[in-house]
């Protein structure tokens, strides 16, 4: 029976289907999938496999998301950092203190007496002003000196009177000395007369003895012997008279010598009077000089605080001796030599062993920005340069400080006498060393580190360093950094050793300029 004759509910025979060449083409097309009996036998596996693939796909997607999150945590995106290159340069460590500018040569000119200002120097039809040049010895100002001029006249008269009295005393001395000479001549004459009288007395005595013998022999008469006796007595009287004359002449000598001594004492008294009168004259002349102000050297008027016809008081100046800046506004005239200035500053006593004459010194305005802030370097702020001239080793008892003086070598045109400035002193200096900016150094647990960038791997190495001299915008590295290495200056907070970074290069410039020649 053919396939067409079989009941419809009876399945066709496979063999017949396979080998029946007479089957219609449409039925042949419908039964082509049945050529593989394995698929029809395991058709139920297809939904199962679909479910398995669905579950596997979902699991794969979940695992992929999980592992991609883990990868994101383990390998973060590179951190953006800014770097600089370590350089080799010189570096200085600085200390600073407020100081006062003063000219090396300056003079405060003040009157020594109170009075009205009667004169100020003339400059092309106008009175003297601050900033005018002056010449050494020039009379700059004067106050009323009439009273002192009268004192000088009186002192000169006293000197003249004393000198006149000295002349009288000297004449008296000469007269007394001549009297002494005359008295001594009388003494000599009287002594000669004494000698002559004594000789006559001796002769008369000898003749008396001879006559006595002749009288005894009866050769002469008694009257002749009496005559010889009278001669002896006369001779003795002459001797006594001559000796009295000697005594009188010696008394005259003593009197004359006493008069000479008195005259000399009078002369000394007149000399003392002259000295006293001259002292008073000198005092009056000095006081007169105190009414006049002269230029001590060629210079410039830095301060002028007086005017003609104004009253000047010593108290107005002396009351400001403790405040120098206010004193400059009270003292009549201040003359400065503008060719050289210096800065005087008080330093902590502990700096005495660090500051030495010859140390580099820079000067900035007292209110200028701090060096190292906002990229401003000290050498940009300090156009005034010099060196330490002297260091006073004595410690002031009030503020326990030492005083340092810096002489200015360049930039003095920007200075004014009495101005307040900041004095910077190099207390340590190192040439030809490795330097990096301050923000390239990070401290962790008080240990200094740098983050050096490896340009091949774009990773950073956290490296401990040994620090040296600290400047304002940079620091010396003694070990741990080589010249040319790239160091992170911005972005260290999120860095760890080996972290990947994206570098924004930045050239480190220390703004250094040579201190000695002043070039930028």
């Amino acid at each position: 029976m053919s396939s067409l004759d079989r009941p419809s509910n009876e399945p066709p025979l496979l063999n017949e289907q396979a080998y029946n060449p007479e089957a219609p083409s449409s039925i042949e097309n419908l039964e082509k999938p049945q050529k593989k009996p394995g698929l029809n036998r395991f058709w139920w596996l297809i939904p199962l496999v679909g479910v398995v693939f669905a579950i596997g796909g979902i699991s794969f997607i979940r695992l992929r998301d999980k592992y991609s999150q883990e990868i994101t945590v383990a390998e973060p995106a590179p951190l953006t950092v800014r770097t600089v290159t370590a350089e080799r340069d010189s570096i200085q460590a600085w200390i600073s203190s407020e100081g006062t500018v003063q000219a090396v040569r300056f003079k405060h000119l003040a009157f020594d007496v109170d009075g009205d200002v009667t004169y100020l120097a003339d400059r092309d039809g106008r009175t003297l002003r601050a900033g005018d040049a002056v010449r050494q010895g020039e009379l700059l100002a004067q106050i009323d000196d009439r009273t002192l001029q009268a004192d000088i006249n009186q002192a000169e008269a006293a000197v003249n009177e004393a000198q006149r009295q000295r002349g009288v005393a000297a004449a008296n001395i000469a007269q007394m000395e001549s009297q002494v000479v005359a008295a001594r001549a009388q003494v000599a004459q009287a002594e000669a007369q004494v000698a002559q009288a004594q000789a006559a007395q001796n002769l008369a005595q000898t003749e008396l003895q001879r006559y006595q013998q002749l009288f005894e022999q009866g050769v002469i008469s008694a009257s002749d012997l009496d005559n010889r006796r009278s001669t002896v007595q006369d001779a003795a009287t002459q001797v006594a008279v001559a000796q009295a004359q000697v005594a009188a002449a010696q008394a005259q000598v003593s009197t004359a010598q006493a008069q000479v001594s008195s005259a000399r004492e009078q002369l000394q008294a007149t000399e003392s009077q002259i000295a006293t009168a001259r002292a008073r004259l000198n005092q009056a002349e000095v006081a007169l000089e105190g009414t006049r102000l002269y230029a001590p050297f060629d210079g410039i008027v830095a301060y002028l605080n007086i005017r003609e016809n104004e009253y000047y008081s010593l108290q107005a100046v002396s009351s400001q001796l403790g405040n120098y800046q206010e004193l400059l506004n009270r003292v009549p005239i201040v003359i400065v030599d503008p060719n050289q200035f210096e800065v005087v500053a008080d330093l902590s006593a502990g700096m005495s062993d660090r500051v030495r004459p010859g140390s580099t010194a820079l000067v900035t305005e007292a209110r200028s920005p701090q060096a190292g802030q906002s990229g401003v370097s000290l050498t940009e702020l300090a156009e005034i340069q010099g060196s330490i001239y002297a260091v006073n080793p004595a410690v002031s008892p009030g503020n326990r400080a030492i005083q340092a003086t810096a002489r200015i070598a360049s930039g003095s045109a920007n200075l004014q006498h009495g101005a307040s400035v900041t004095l910077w002193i190099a207390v340590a200096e190192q040439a030809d060393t490795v330097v990096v900016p301050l923000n390239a150094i990070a401290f962790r647990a008080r240990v200094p580190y740098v983050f050096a960038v490896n340009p091949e791997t774009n990773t950073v190495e956290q490296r401990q360093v040994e620090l040296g001299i600290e400047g304002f915008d940079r620091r010396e590295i003694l070990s741990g950094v080589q010249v040319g290495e790239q160091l992170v200056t911005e972005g260290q907070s999120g860095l760890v050793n080996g972290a990947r970074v994206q570098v924004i290069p930045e050239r480190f410039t220390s703004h250094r300029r040579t201190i000695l020649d002043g070039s930028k």
Side-chain angles (χ1 to χ4, degrees), residues 82-87 91-94 370-378 434-443 447-451 465 467-477 487-490 492 506 508-511:
R82 196 176 295 275
T83 64
V84 296
T85 303
E87 298 180 347
I91 189 172
Q92 300 89 15
W94 302 86
Q370 289 296 318
Q373 294 181 355
S374 302
V376 180
S377 69
L378 174 61
V434 179
V435 295
V436 300
L438 294 178
N439 58 354
I441 304 171
F443 288 86
V447 177
Y449 292 91
V450 296
F451 288 95
V465 293
L467 303 178
I469 296 174
E470 180 178 359
F472 287 105
D473 56 352
R474 56 186 183 162
R475 185 106 187 228
E476 178 189 16
I477 303 297
L487 305 179
V488 177
T489 57
E490 296 182 17
Q492 298 106 318
E506 176 184 47
F508 167 49
T509 56
S510 62
H511 306 285

Side-chain angles (χ1 to χ4, degrees), residues 381 386 395 409 474 496 505:
L381 293 175
V395 178
R474 56 186 183 162
V496 294

Side-chain angles (χ1 to χ4, degrees), residues 248-277:
Q250 289 178 342
Q252 290 179 355
V253 169
S254 298
T255 301
Q257 288 178 340
Q259 291 176 347
V260 169
S261 298
S262 177
R264 286 177 177 174
E265 290 177 356
Q266 184 178 2
L267 180 62
Q268 291 178 354
T270 56
E271 292 288 355
S272 298
Q273 292 176 358
I274 291 174
T276 301

Side-chain angles (χ1 to χ4, degrees), residues 180-199:
V180 169
V181 171
R184 287 176 177 174
Q186 292 178 359
V187 168
Q189 183 180 0
E191 288 176 346
Q193 292 176 354
V194 168
Q196 184 179 0
Q198 288 177 343

Side-chain angles (χ1 to χ4, degrees), residues 103-369:
V104 174
R105 284 205 308 168
F106 69 94
K107 185 69 174 179
H108 297 155
L109 303 181
F111 299 112
D112 294 335
V113 294
D114 299 338
D116 294 325
V117 178
T118 58
Y119 172 79
L120 277 178
D122 181 78
R123 288 291 184 276
D124 298 329
R126 61 171 177 83
T127 58
L128 190 69
R129 297 176 184 174
D132 288 341
V134 297
R135 300 181 304 275
Q136 182 177 3
E138 179 183 2
L139 178 61
L140 304 180
Q142 182 177 348
I143 62 175
D144 189 358
D145 61 351
R146 289 175 296 178
T147 300
L148 295 176
Q149 190 65 55
D151 293 340
I152 288 178
N153 295 336
Q154 183 178 359
E156 288 177 345
V159 169
N160 294 333
E161 177 61 21
Q163 288 176 341
R164 187 191 67 78
Q165 292 180 0
R166 182 181 63 180
V168 173
N172 290 335
I173 289 175
Q175 182 180 359
M176 294 303 102
E177 286 178 345
S178 64
Q179 291 178 359
V180 169
V181 171
R184 287 176 177 174
Q186 292 178 359
V187 168
Q189 183 180 0
E191 288 176 346
Q193 292 176 354
V194 168
Q196 184 179 0
Q198 288 177 343
Q201 182 182 17
N202 293 334
L203 178 60
Q205 189 67 36
T206 300
E207 288 292 331
L208 177 60
Q209 291 176 357
R210 189 169 65 81
Y211 270 72
Q212 183 68 36
Q213 292 175 358
L214 293 175
F215 176 75
E216 291 176 354
Q217 293 175 3
V219 177
I220 61 173
S221 64
S223 60
D224 293 335
L225 180 60
D226 291 337
N227 290 335
R228 290 300 171 185
R229 286 176 179 171
S230 297
T231 302
V232 169
Q233 291 176 355
D234 292 339
T237 301
Q238 291 296 327
V239 169
V241 171
Q243 289 177 344
Q245 291 177 350
V246 168
Q250 289 178 342
Q252 290 179 355
V253 169
S254 298
T255 301
Q257 288 178 340
Q259 291 176 347
V260 169
S261 298
S262 177
R264 286 177 177 174
E265 290 177 356
Q266 184 178 2
L267 180 62
Q268 291 178 354
T270 56
E271 292 288 355
S272 298
Q273 292 176 358
I274 291 174
T276 301
R278 284 179 175 173
R280 291 177 179 174
L281 177 61
N282 292 336
Q283 184 178 4
E285 289 175 345
V286 170
L288 183 64
E289 291 178 358
T291 64
R292 302 170 184 176
L293 301 181
Y294 295 91
F297 47 78
D298 293 347
I300 293 177
V301 178
Y303 293 86
L304 181 64
N305 301 310
I306 55 174
R307 295 180 180 179
E308 285 188 5
N309 302 320
E310 284 187 347
Y311 185 80
Y312 170 78
S313 172
L314 288 172
Q315 180 65 24
V317 176
S318 60
S319 61
Q320 301 299 326
L321 293 179
N323 186 339
Y324 184 69
Q325 189 61 45
E326 186 63 27
L327 178 65
L328 292 176
N329 297 326
R330 297 290 185 89
V331 68
I333 302 176
V334 178
I335 304 297
V336 301
D337 182 352
N339 296 319
Q340 190 173 20
F341 286 90
E342 61 187 11
V343 177
V344 179
D346 289 337
L347 305 176
S348 171
M351 295 295 175
S352 60
D353 59 340
R354 302 183 64 188
V355 180
R356 292 285 183 271
S359 299
T360 301
L362 301 178
V363 177
T364 61
E365 295 181 1
R367 297 182 180 180
S368 62

